[in-house]
């Protein structure tokens, strides 16, 4: 079956530009996570949805970052007024239920470069 | 806040060598533990996980990990590596119960020479 997909795979933005990153989770998966992965580091949690409800956004680094999942499936991570420090790979993951023991299924990521 | 340490950032082995990658976490409560792997050009995928029961967990491709609660460790092992095991390996921990947010280690890059 189809896995988690993300688009675009690569995005180059000029500093100050707004960007939108899309995640299509596995169909039927309740939970959706966004992570930021800097070069040479592990994924760092940004935000978590259970269906359309954003249950945790404690990892969002600033109010320039905003995420939504309006219909409980596709999610969009928006970054306003991008800065150079936003350059990273943004990973999306989904899991079947809302359990802490669930396996997360990751997408390929979007590599964002801010010039 | 919980943290996860992977002490070996880069490991280079020859085929058939044994592998052990360290993972230590700082969290005193109930934990769920995961090892994820990212093969070159592929997505992160689950290798194995532990949440209860036998502390020795077996995963895909001959990997296993042992949860030692007293040492706050969850080391990954494989008795004989193959060239195809070349990948990035990430340990992740979340607090059990309702705490579903995992903390990842920074990863270990494994290169296996044929």
């Amino acid at each position: 079956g189809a896995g988690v997909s993300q688009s675009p795979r690569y995005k180059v933005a000029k500093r100050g530009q707004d960007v939108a990153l899309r995640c299509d989770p596995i169909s039927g998966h309740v939970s959706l996570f966004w992570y930021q992965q800097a070069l040479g580091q592990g994924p760092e949690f940004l935000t978590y949805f259970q269906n359309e409800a954003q249950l945790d956004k404690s990892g969002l680094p600033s109010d320039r970052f905003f995420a939504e999942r309006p219909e409980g499936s596709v999610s969009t991570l928006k970054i306003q007024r991008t800065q150079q420090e936003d350059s990273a790979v943004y990973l999306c993951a989904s899991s079947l239920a809302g359990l802490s023991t669930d396996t997360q299924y990751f997408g390929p990521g979007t590599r964002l470069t801010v010039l | 806040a919980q943290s996860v340490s992977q002490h070996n950032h880069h490991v280079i082995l020859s085929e058939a060598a044994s592998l052990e990658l360290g993972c230590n976490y700082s969290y005193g409560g109930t934990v769920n533990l995961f090892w994820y792997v990212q093969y070159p050009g592929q997505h992160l995928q689950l290798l194995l996980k532990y949440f209860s029961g036998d502390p020795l967990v077996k995963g895909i491709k001959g990997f296993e990990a042992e949860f030692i609660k007293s040492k706050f460790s969850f080391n990954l092992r494989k008795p004989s590596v193959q060239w195809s095991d070349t990948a990035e390996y990430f340990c992740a921990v979340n607090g059990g119960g309702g705490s579903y947010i995992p903390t990842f280690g920074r990863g270990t890059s494994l290169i296996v020479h044929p």
Side-chain angles (χ1 to χ4, degrees), chain B residues 18-81:
Chain B
S18 64
L19 171 72
E20 180 160 2
L21 301 182
C23 173
N24 288 87
Y25 62 92
S26 65
Y27 184 73
T30 304
V31 291
N32 302 308
L33 301 146
F34 306 80
W35 275 98
Y36 285 87
V37 61
Q38 187 167 24
Y39 298 104
Q42 296 188 26
H43 309 181
L44 269 166
Q45 59 183 283
L46 184 73
L47 205 51
L48 49 78
K49 64 182 178 181
Y50 170 82
F51 51 90
S52 67
D54 188 343
L56 184 61
V57 183
K58 295 192 184 300
I60 60 172
K61 303 188 179 186
F63 285 89
E64 65 180 29
E66 185 175 13
F67 169 50
I68 303 179
K69 189 174 182 180
S70 60
K71 295 185 177 180
F72 299 91
S73 71
F74 190 55
N75 291 356
L76 182 70
R77 299 194 294 248
K78 185 171 185 179
S80 176
V81 294

Short mmCIF file of all heavy atoms in Angstrom, two decimals, chain B residues 18-81:
data_model
loop_
_atom_site.label_atom_id
_atom_site.label_comp_id
_atom_site.label_asym_id
_atom_site.label_seq_id
_atom_site.Cartn_x
_atom_site.Cartn_y
_atom_site.Cartn_z
N SER B 18 30.90 -8.12 14.37
CA SER B 18 29.75 -7.94 15.25
C SER B 18 29.53 -6.46 15.51
O SER B 18 30.46 -5.65 15.49
CB SER B 18 29.96 -8.68 16.57
OG SER B 18 31.05 -8.12 17.26
N LEU B 19 28.28 -6.11 15.76
CA LEU B 19 27.90 -4.71 15.94
C LEU B 19 27.21 -4.51 17.28
O LEU B 19 26.37 -5.33 17.68
CB LEU B 19 26.93 -4.31 14.83
CG LEU B 19 26.25 -2.94 14.98
CD1 LEU B 19 27.25 -1.81 14.72
CD2 LEU B 19 25.07 -2.83 14.02
N GLU B 20 27.57 -3.44 17.96
CA GLU B 20 26.78 -2.99 19.10
C GLU B 20 26.77 -1.48 19.09
O GLU B 20 27.81 -0.83 19.12
CB GLU B 20 27.34 -3.50 20.44
CG GLU B 20 26.50 -3.02 21.62
CD GLU B 20 26.67 -3.84 22.88
OE1 GLU B 20 27.49 -4.78 22.88
OE2 GLU B 20 25.97 -3.55 23.87
N LEU B 21 25.59 -0.91 19.01
CA LEU B 21 25.41 0.54 19.04
C LEU B 21 24.74 0.92 20.36
O LEU B 21 23.72 0.37 20.73
CB LEU B 21 24.53 1.02 17.88
CG LEU B 21 25.01 0.69 16.48
CD1 LEU B 21 24.07 1.28 15.44
CD2 LEU B 21 26.43 1.20 16.26
N GLY B 22 25.36 1.88 21.03
CA GLY B 22 24.86 2.27 22.34
C GLY B 22 23.73 3.28 22.29
O GLY B 22 23.68 4.14 21.41
N CYS B 23 22.81 3.15 23.23
CA CYS B 23 21.73 4.12 23.39
C CYS B 23 21.42 4.22 24.88
O CYS B 23 21.07 3.21 25.51
CB CYS B 23 20.48 3.69 22.64
SG CYS B 23 19.04 4.74 22.96
N ASN B 24 21.56 5.41 25.41
CA ASN B 24 21.19 5.67 26.81
C ASN B 24 20.19 6.80 26.87
O ASN B 24 20.26 7.73 26.07
CB ASN B 24 22.43 6.04 27.64
CG ASN B 24 23.32 4.85 27.88
OD1 ASN B 24 24.18 4.53 27.07
ND2 ASN B 24 23.09 4.17 28.98
N TYR B 25 19.29 6.71 27.80
CA TYR B 25 18.25 7.74 27.90
C TYR B 25 18.18 8.24 29.34
O TYR B 25 18.63 7.56 30.28
CB TYR B 25 16.89 7.19 27.46
CG TYR B 25 16.40 6.05 28.31
CD1 TYR B 25 15.58 6.28 29.41
CD2 TYR B 25 16.78 4.75 28.02
CE1 TYR B 25 15.16 5.24 30.21
CE2 TYR B 25 16.38 3.70 28.81
CZ TYR B 25 15.56 3.94 29.90
OH TYR B 25 15.15 2.91 30.71
N SER B 26 17.64 9.41 29.50
CA SER B 26 17.45 9.95 30.84
C SER B 26 15.96 10.15 31.04
O SER B 26 15.38 11.09 30.51
CB SER B 26 18.17 11.29 30.99
OG SER B 26 17.60 12.24 30.13
N TYR B 27 15.35 9.25 31.72
CA TYR B 27 13.93 9.36 32.05
C TYR B 27 13.63 8.30 33.08
O TYR B 27 13.90 7.13 32.84
CB TYR B 27 13.05 9.17 30.81
CG TYR B 27 11.58 9.38 31.09
CD1 TYR B 27 11.08 10.66 31.31
CD2 TYR B 27 10.71 8.31 31.14
CE1 TYR B 27 9.74 10.86 31.59
CE2 TYR B 27 9.38 8.50 31.41
CZ TYR B 27 8.89 9.78 31.63
OH TYR B 27 7.56 9.97 31.91
N GLY B 28 13.11 8.69 34.20
CA GLY B 28 12.96 7.75 35.29
C GLY B 28 11.70 6.93 35.27
O GLY B 28 11.59 5.96 35.99
N GLY B 29 10.75 7.29 34.46
CA GLY B 29 9.47 6.59 34.48
C GLY B 29 9.43 5.44 33.49
O GLY B 29 10.45 5.01 32.95
N THR B 30 8.22 4.98 33.25
CA THR B 30 8.01 3.93 32.25
C THR B 30 8.35 4.48 30.87
O THR B 30 8.00 5.60 30.54
CB THR B 30 6.55 3.48 32.27
OG1 THR B 30 6.21 3.06 33.59
CG2 THR B 30 6.33 2.34 31.29
N VAL B 31 9.05 3.68 30.09
CA VAL B 31 9.45 4.15 28.76
C VAL B 31 9.11 3.14 27.68
O VAL B 31 8.98 1.95 27.95
CB VAL B 31 10.97 4.44 28.69
CG1 VAL B 31 11.35 5.65 29.52
CG2 VAL B 31 11.78 3.22 29.09
N ASN B 32 8.95 3.64 26.50
CA ASN B 32 8.88 2.82 25.29
C ASN B 32 10.11 3.15 24.47
O ASN B 32 10.49 4.33 24.35
CB ASN B 32 7.63 3.12 24.47
CG ASN B 32 6.36 2.91 25.28
OD1 ASN B 32 6.16 1.86 25.88
ND2 ASN B 32 5.50 3.92 25.31
N LEU B 33 10.76 2.15 23.91
CA LEU B 33 12.05 2.33 23.26
C LEU B 33 12.00 1.82 21.83
O LEU B 33 11.40 0.77 21.56
CB LEU B 33 13.13 1.57 24.05
CG LEU B 33 13.25 2.04 25.50
CD1 LEU B 33 13.60 0.89 26.42
CD2 LEU B 33 14.31 3.12 25.59
N PHE B 34 12.63 2.54 20.94
CA PHE B 34 12.57 2.23 19.52
C PHE B 34 13.97 2.38 18.91
O PHE B 34 14.74 3.23 19.31
CB PHE B 34 11.64 3.22 18.79
CG PHE B 34 10.26 3.35 19.36
CD1 PHE B 34 10.01 4.13 20.49
CD2 PHE B 34 9.19 2.70 18.75
CE1 PHE B 34 8.73 4.25 21.01
CE2 PHE B 34 7.90 2.83 19.27
CZ PHE B 34 7.68 3.60 20.39
N TRP B 35 14.23 1.56 17.92
CA TRP B 35 15.34 1.79 17.02
C TRP B 35 14.76 1.92 15.61
O TRP B 35 14.01 1.05 15.14
CB TRP B 35 16.35 0.63 17.03
CG TRP B 35 17.36 0.73 18.13
CD1 TRP B 35 17.35 0.11 19.34
CD2 TRP B 35 18.57 1.50 18.11
NE1 TRP B 35 18.46 0.44 20.07
CE2 TRP B 35 19.23 1.29 19.34
CE3 TRP B 35 19.17 2.35 17.16
CZ2 TRP B 35 20.45 1.89 19.65
CZ3 TRP B 35 20.39 2.94 17.47
CH2 TRP B 35 21.02 2.71 18.70
N TYR B 36 15.11 3.04 14.97
CA TYR B 36 14.73 3.26 13.58
C TYR B 36 16.00 3.24 12.73
O TYR B 36 17.08 3.61 13.19
CB TYR B 36 14.03 4.61 13.41
CG TYR B 36 12.60 4.64 13.91
CD1 TYR B 36 12.31 4.92 15.23
CD2 TYR B 36 11.54 4.37 13.04
CE1 TYR B 36 10.99 4.96 15.68
CE2 TYR B 36 10.22 4.40 13.48
CZ TYR B 36 9.96 4.69 14.80
OH TYR B 36 8.65 4.71 15.24
N VAL B 37 15.84 2.88 11.47
CA VAL B 37 16.97 2.83 10.54
C VAL B 37 16.62 3.58 9.26
O VAL B 37 15.46 3.58 8.84
CB VAL B 37 17.35 1.36 10.22
CG1 VAL B 37 16.20 0.62 9.55
CG2 VAL B 37 18.59 1.30 9.34
N GLN B 38 17.60 4.25 8.72
CA GLN B 38 17.42 4.93 7.43
C GLN B 38 18.50 4.45 6.48
O GLN B 38 19.67 4.83 6.61
CB GLN B 38 17.47 6.44 7.59
CG GLN B 38 17.12 7.20 6.32
CD GLN B 38 16.88 8.67 6.57
OE1 GLN B 38 17.37 9.25 7.52
NE2 GLN B 38 16.10 9.29 5.69
N TYR B 39 18.12 3.59 5.54
CA TYR B 39 19.04 3.13 4.51
C TYR B 39 19.23 4.26 3.49
O TYR B 39 18.36 5.11 3.34
CB TYR B 39 18.52 1.87 3.84
CG TYR B 39 18.40 0.71 4.80
CD1 TYR B 39 17.15 0.31 5.28
CD2 TYR B 39 19.53 0.03 5.25
CE1 TYR B 39 17.04 -0.74 6.18
CE2 TYR B 39 19.43 -1.02 6.14
CZ TYR B 39 18.17 -1.39 6.61
OH TYR B 39 18.06 -2.41 7.51
N PRO B 40 20.36 4.27 2.81
CA PRO B 40 20.63 5.35 1.85
C PRO B 40 19.49 5.52 0.85
O PRO B 40 19.06 4.56 0.22
CB PRO B 40 21.92 4.89 1.16
CG PRO B 40 22.59 4.02 2.16
CD PRO B 40 21.50 3.32 2.90
N GLY B 41 18.98 6.74 0.76
CA GLY B 41 17.92 7.04 -0.19
C GLY B 41 16.54 6.58 0.22
O GLY B 41 15.59 6.68 -0.58
N GLN B 42 16.40 6.07 1.42
CA GLN B 42 15.10 5.57 1.85
C GLN B 42 14.58 6.33 3.07
O GLN B 42 15.27 7.14 3.66
CB GLN B 42 15.19 4.07 2.18
CG GLN B 42 15.54 3.21 0.98
CD GLN B 42 15.44 1.74 1.30
OE1 GLN B 42 14.69 1.32 2.20
NE2 GLN B 42 16.17 0.93 0.57
N HIS B 43 13.31 6.04 3.41
CA HIS B 43 12.70 6.68 4.56
C HIS B 43 13.19 6.04 5.85
O HIS B 43 13.64 4.89 5.86
CB HIS B 43 11.17 6.50 4.54
CG HIS B 43 10.52 6.88 3.25
ND1 HIS B 43 9.15 6.79 3.07
CD2 HIS B 43 11.01 7.32 2.09
CE1 HIS B 43 8.86 7.18 1.85
NE2 HIS B 43 9.95 7.50 1.23
N LEU B 44 13.04 6.75 6.94
CA LEU B 44 13.21 6.15 8.26
C LEU B 44 12.18 5.03 8.42
O LEU B 44 11.01 5.20 8.09
CB LEU B 44 12.93 7.19 9.34
CG LEU B 44 14.11 8.01 9.87
CD1 LEU B 44 13.60 9.19 10.65
CD2 LEU B 44 15.01 7.16 10.73
N GLN B 45 12.64 3.89 8.95
CA GLN B 45 11.70 2.80 9.19
C GLN B 45 12.05 2.10 10.49
O GLN B 45 13.20 2.12 10.94
CB GLN B 45 11.72 1.79 8.03
CG GLN B 45 13.06 1.16 7.77
CD GLN B 45 13.03 0.24 6.56
OE1 GLN B 45 12.53 -0.89 6.64
NE2 GLN B 45 13.53 0.71 5.45
N LEU B 46 11.05 1.46 11.08
CA LEU B 46 11.26 0.81 12.36
C LEU B 46 12.10 -0.45 12.22
O LEU B 46 11.86 -1.28 11.34
CB LEU B 46 9.91 0.44 12.97
CG LEU B 46 10.00 -0.18 14.38
CD1 LEU B 46 10.35 0.90 15.41
CD2 LEU B 46 8.69 -0.87 14.75
N LEU B 47 13.07 -0.59 13.11
CA LEU B 47 13.89 -1.80 13.18
C LEU B 47 13.34 -2.73 14.26
O LEU B 47 13.19 -3.93 14.05
CB LEU B 47 15.32 -1.38 13.51
CG LEU B 47 16.50 -2.25 13.14
CD1 LEU B 47 16.46 -2.64 11.69
CD2 LEU B 47 17.81 -1.50 13.45
N LEU B 48 13.07 -2.17 15.42
CA LEU B 48 12.48 -2.92 16.52
C LEU B 48 12.02 -1.95 17.60
O LEU B 48 12.38 -0.78 17.58
CB LEU B 48 13.48 -3.92 17.11
CG LEU B 48 14.89 -3.45 17.45
CD1 LEU B 48 14.94 -2.68 18.74
CD2 LEU B 48 15.86 -4.64 17.51
N LYS B 49 11.21 -2.48 18.53
CA LYS B 49 10.74 -1.65 19.63
C LYS B 49 10.49 -2.50 20.85
O LYS B 49 10.26 -3.71 20.75
CB LYS B 49 9.47 -0.88 19.26
CG LYS B 49 8.25 -1.74 18.97
CD LYS B 49 7.08 -0.86 18.57
CE LYS B 49 5.85 -1.68 18.22
NZ LYS B 49 4.70 -0.82 17.80
N TYR B 50 10.55 -1.85 22.01
CA TYR B 50 10.27 -2.50 23.28
C TYR B 50 9.30 -1.63 24.07
O TYR B 50 9.51 -0.41 24.19
CB TYR B 50 11.55 -2.68 24.10
CG TYR B 50 11.25 -3.12 25.51
CD1 TYR B 50 11.00 -4.46 25.80
CD2 TYR B 50 11.16 -2.20 26.54
CE1 TYR B 50 10.68 -4.86 27.08
CE2 TYR B 50 10.84 -2.58 27.83
CZ TYR B 50 10.59 -3.92 28.09
OH TYR B 50 10.26 -4.31 29.36
N PHE B 51 8.26 -2.28 24.62
CA PHE B 51 7.43 -1.54 25.56
C PHE B 51 7.09 -2.35 26.80
O PHE B 51 6.71 -1.79 27.82
CB PHE B 51 6.16 -0.99 24.90
CG PHE B 51 5.37 -1.99 24.12
CD1 PHE B 51 4.38 -2.74 24.71
CD2 PHE B 51 5.60 -2.16 22.77
CE1 PHE B 51 3.64 -3.65 23.98
CE2 PHE B 51 4.87 -3.08 22.03
CZ PHE B 51 3.89 -3.83 22.64
N SER B 52 7.22 -3.66 26.74
CA SER B 52 6.98 -4.47 27.95
C SER B 52 7.44 -5.90 27.66
O SER B 52 7.74 -6.25 26.51
CB SER B 52 5.50 -4.47 28.34
OG SER B 52 4.74 -5.15 27.36
N GLY B 53 7.50 -6.71 28.69
CA GLY B 53 7.80 -8.12 28.51
C GLY B 53 9.29 -8.39 28.46
O GLY B 53 10.09 -7.71 29.10
N ASP B 54 9.66 -9.38 27.68
CA ASP B 54 11.05 -9.81 27.56
C ASP B 54 11.93 -8.63 27.17
O ASP B 54 11.69 -8.00 26.12
CB ASP B 54 11.15 -10.92 26.51
CG ASP B 54 12.52 -11.58 26.46
OD1 ASP B 54 13.50 -10.99 26.99
OD2 ASP B 54 12.62 -12.66 25.86
N PRO B 55 12.94 -8.30 27.98
CA PRO B 55 13.77 -7.13 27.65
C PRO B 55 14.68 -7.34 26.44
O PRO B 55 15.29 -6.38 25.97
CB PRO B 55 14.59 -6.92 28.93
CG PRO B 55 14.60 -8.24 29.59
CD PRO B 55 13.30 -8.90 29.27
N LEU B 56 14.80 -8.56 25.97
CA LEU B 56 15.58 -8.81 24.75
C LEU B 56 14.60 -8.86 23.58
O LEU B 56 13.74 -9.75 23.49
CB LEU B 56 16.35 -10.13 24.88
CG LEU B 56 17.28 -10.46 23.73
CD1 LEU B 56 18.37 -9.40 23.58
CD2 LEU B 56 17.91 -11.84 23.94
N VAL B 57 14.73 -7.90 22.71
CA VAL B 57 13.78 -7.74 21.62
C VAL B 57 14.46 -8.07 20.30
O VAL B 57 15.58 -7.62 20.05
CB VAL B 57 13.28 -6.28 21.55
CG1 VAL B 57 12.24 -6.12 20.46
CG2 VAL B 57 12.72 -5.85 22.89
N LYS B 58 13.78 -8.84 19.48
CA LYS B 58 14.32 -9.17 18.16
C LYS B 58 13.57 -8.37 17.10
O LYS B 58 12.35 -8.21 17.15
CB LYS B 58 14.20 -10.66 17.90
CG LYS B 58 15.06 -11.48 18.86
CD LYS B 58 15.20 -12.92 18.44
CE LYS B 58 15.97 -13.73 19.47
NZ LYS B 58 17.35 -13.20 19.68
N GLY B 59 14.34 -7.86 16.14
CA GLY B 59 13.74 -7.08 15.08
C GLY B 59 14.00 -7.68 13.72
O GLY B 59 14.36 -8.86 13.60
N ILE B 60 13.86 -6.82 12.70
CA ILE B 60 14.07 -7.30 11.34
C ILE B 60 15.55 -7.45 11.04
O ILE B 60 16.40 -6.86 11.72
CB ILE B 60 13.41 -6.35 10.32
CG1 ILE B 60 14.01 -4.95 10.42
CG2 ILE B 60 11.90 -6.30 10.53
CD1 ILE B 60 13.56 -4.00 9.32
N LYS B 61 15.86 -8.25 10.03
CA LYS B 61 17.20 -8.39 9.48
C LYS B 61 18.24 -8.84 10.51
O LYS B 61 19.41 -8.47 10.40
CB LYS B 61 17.64 -7.09 8.81
CG LYS B 61 16.66 -6.65 7.71
CD LYS B 61 17.17 -5.48 6.91
CE LYS B 61 16.14 -5.12 5.84
NZ LYS B 61 16.60 -4.07 4.93
N GLY B 62 17.82 -9.61 11.50
CA GLY B 62 18.75 -10.18 12.45
C GLY B 62 19.19 -9.27 13.58
O GLY B 62 20.09 -9.61 14.35
N PHE B 63 18.61 -8.09 13.67
CA PHE B 63 18.95 -7.17 14.74
C PHE B 63 18.22 -7.53 16.03
O PHE B 63 17.11 -8.06 16.00
CB PHE B 63 18.60 -5.73 14.36
CG PHE B 63 19.55 -5.11 13.38
CD1 PHE B 63 19.34 -5.24 12.01
CD2 PHE B 63 20.67 -4.42 13.81
CE1 PHE B 63 20.22 -4.69 11.09
CE2 PHE B 63 21.56 -3.86 12.90
CZ PHE B 63 21.33 -4.00 11.54
N GLU B 64 18.83 -7.21 17.15
CA GLU B 64 18.20 -7.35 18.45
C GLU B 64 18.66 -6.21 19.35
O GLU B 64 19.68 -5.56 19.08
CB GLU B 64 18.51 -8.70 19.10
CG GLU B 64 19.97 -8.89 19.45
CD GLU B 64 20.23 -10.24 20.10
OE1 GLU B 64 19.51 -11.22 19.81
OE2 GLU B 64 21.17 -10.31 20.92
N ALA B 65 17.89 -5.97 20.40
CA ALA B 65 18.27 -4.94 21.36
C ALA B 65 17.86 -5.40 22.74
O ALA B 65 16.87 -6.12 22.91
CB ALA B 65 17.59 -3.61 21.04
N GLU B 66 18.63 -4.98 23.74
CA GLU B 66 18.35 -5.37 25.11
C GLU B 66 18.09 -4.15 25.96
O GLU B 66 18.91 -3.21 26.00
CB GLU B 66 19.52 -6.17 25.69
CG GLU B 66 19.22 -6.70 27.10
CD GLU B 66 20.31 -7.59 27.64
OE1 GLU B 66 21.41 -7.62 27.05
OE2 GLU B 66 20.06 -8.26 28.66
N PHE B 67 16.96 -4.16 26.63
CA PHE B 67 16.59 -3.09 27.55
C PHE B 67 17.14 -3.44 28.92
O PHE B 67 16.80 -4.48 29.49
CB PHE B 67 15.07 -2.96 27.60
CG PHE B 67 14.54 -2.07 28.69
CD1 PHE B 67 15.05 -0.79 28.85
CD2 PHE B 67 13.52 -2.48 29.52
CE1 PHE B 67 14.56 0.06 29.84
CE2 PHE B 67 13.01 -1.65 30.51
CZ PHE B 67 13.54 -0.38 30.67
N ILE B 68 18.03 -2.60 29.43
CA ILE B 68 18.56 -2.79 30.78
C ILE B 68 18.11 -1.58 31.59
O ILE B 68 18.69 -0.49 31.49
CB ILE B 68 20.09 -2.93 30.80
CG1 ILE B 68 20.51 -4.10 29.91
CG2 ILE B 68 20.57 -3.15 32.23
CD1 ILE B 68 22.01 -4.33 29.84
N LYS B 69 17.08 -1.78 32.39
CA LYS B 69 16.45 -0.66 33.11
C LYS B 69 17.41 0.02 34.07
O LYS B 69 17.44 1.26 34.16
CB LYS B 69 15.22 -1.17 33.87
CG LYS B 69 14.37 -0.09 34.47
CD LYS B 69 13.11 -0.67 35.07
CE LYS B 69 12.23 0.43 35.64
NZ LYS B 69 10.98 -0.13 36.22
N SER B 70 18.24 -0.78 34.74
CA SER B 70 19.14 -0.22 35.75
C SER B 70 20.23 0.65 35.12
O SER B 70 20.80 1.52 35.79
CB SER B 70 19.80 -1.34 36.55
OG SER B 70 20.55 -2.18 35.68
N LYS B 71 20.49 0.44 33.86
CA LYS B 71 21.51 1.22 33.15
C LYS B 71 20.88 2.26 32.22
O LYS B 71 21.62 2.97 31.52
CB LYS B 71 22.43 0.30 32.34
CG LYS B 71 23.27 -0.63 33.20
CD LYS B 71 24.24 -1.42 32.34
CE LYS B 71 25.14 -2.30 33.20
NZ LYS B 71 26.10 -3.08 32.38
N PHE B 72 19.57 2.34 32.18
CA PHE B 72 18.88 3.26 31.27
C PHE B 72 19.41 3.08 29.85
O PHE B 72 19.69 4.05 29.15
CB PHE B 72 19.06 4.72 31.72
CG PHE B 72 18.50 4.98 33.09
CD1 PHE B 72 19.29 4.84 34.22
CD2 PHE B 72 17.18 5.37 33.25
CE1 PHE B 72 18.77 5.07 35.48
CE2 PHE B 72 16.65 5.60 34.52
CZ PHE B 72 17.45 5.45 35.64
N SER B 73 19.56 1.83 29.44
CA SER B 73 20.15 1.58 28.13
C SER B 73 19.28 0.68 27.27
O SER B 73 18.47 -0.11 27.77
CB SER B 73 21.55 0.96 28.28
OG SER B 73 21.44 -0.38 28.74
N PHE B 74 19.48 0.81 25.97
CA PHE B 74 18.75 0.01 24.98
C PHE B 74 19.68 -0.15 23.78
O PHE B 74 19.48 0.41 22.72
CB PHE B 74 17.44 0.69 24.59
CG PHE B 74 16.50 -0.14 23.77
CD1 PHE B 74 16.08 -1.40 24.20
CD2 PHE B 74 16.00 0.34 22.56
CE1 PHE B 74 15.20 -2.15 23.44
CE2 PHE B 74 15.12 -0.42 21.79
CZ PHE B 74 14.72 -1.66 22.24
N ASN B 75 20.71 -0.96 23.95
CA ASN B 75 21.74 -1.11 22.93
C ASN B 75 21.29 -2.04 21.82
O ASN B 75 20.65 -3.06 22.06
CB ASN B 75 23.03 -1.61 23.56
CG ASN B 75 23.68 -0.57 24.45
OD1 ASN B 75 23.21 0.56 24.57
ND2 ASN B 75 24.74 -0.99 25.12
N LEU B 76 21.68 -1.70 20.62
CA LEU B 76 21.34 -2.47 19.43
C LEU B 76 22.50 -3.38 19.07
O LEU B 76 23.66 -2.95 19.11
CB LEU B 76 21.06 -1.52 18.26
CG LEU B 76 20.64 -2.15 16.94
CD1 LEU B 76 19.24 -2.74 17.04
CD2 LEU B 76 20.70 -1.11 15.82
N ARG B 77 22.20 -4.62 18.71
CA ARG B 77 23.25 -5.58 18.40
C ARG B 77 22.90 -6.38 17.15
O ARG B 77 21.72 -6.58 16.82
CB ARG B 77 23.45 -6.56 19.57
CG ARG B 77 23.85 -5.90 20.87
CD ARG B 77 24.36 -6.92 21.86
NE ARG B 77 23.31 -7.85 22.30
CZ ARG B 77 22.83 -7.89 23.52
NH1 ARG B 77 23.24 -7.02 24.43
NH2 ARG B 77 21.92 -8.78 23.85
N LYS B 78 23.98 -6.82 16.49
CA LYS B 78 23.84 -7.79 15.40
C LYS B 78 25.13 -8.59 15.39
O LYS B 78 26.22 -8.01 15.37
CB LYS B 78 23.60 -7.11 14.07
CG LYS B 78 23.33 -8.10 12.94
CD LYS B 78 22.86 -7.42 11.66
CE LYS B 78 22.50 -8.46 10.61
NZ LYS B 78 22.01 -7.87 9.35
N PRO B 79 25.04 -9.91 15.40
CA PRO B 79 26.26 -10.72 15.53
C PRO B 79 27.17 -10.66 14.31
O PRO B 79 28.39 -10.80 14.45
CB PRO B 79 25.73 -12.15 15.75
CG PRO B 79 24.29 -12.12 15.43
CD PRO B 79 23.81 -10.71 15.48
N SER B 80 26.60 -10.45 13.12
CA SER B 80 27.40 -10.48 11.92
C SER B 80 26.79 -9.52 10.89
O SER B 80 25.73 -9.80 10.33
CB SER B 80 27.45 -11.91 11.35
OG SER B 80 28.15 -11.94 10.12
N VAL B 81 27.45 -8.38 10.68
CA VAL B 81 26.86 -7.36 9.79
C VAL B 81 27.14 -7.68 8.33
O VAL B 81 28.10 -8.38 7.99
CB VAL B 81 27.37 -5.95 10.13
CG1 VAL B 81 26.90 -5.52 11.51
CG2 VAL B 81 28.89 -5.86 10.01
#
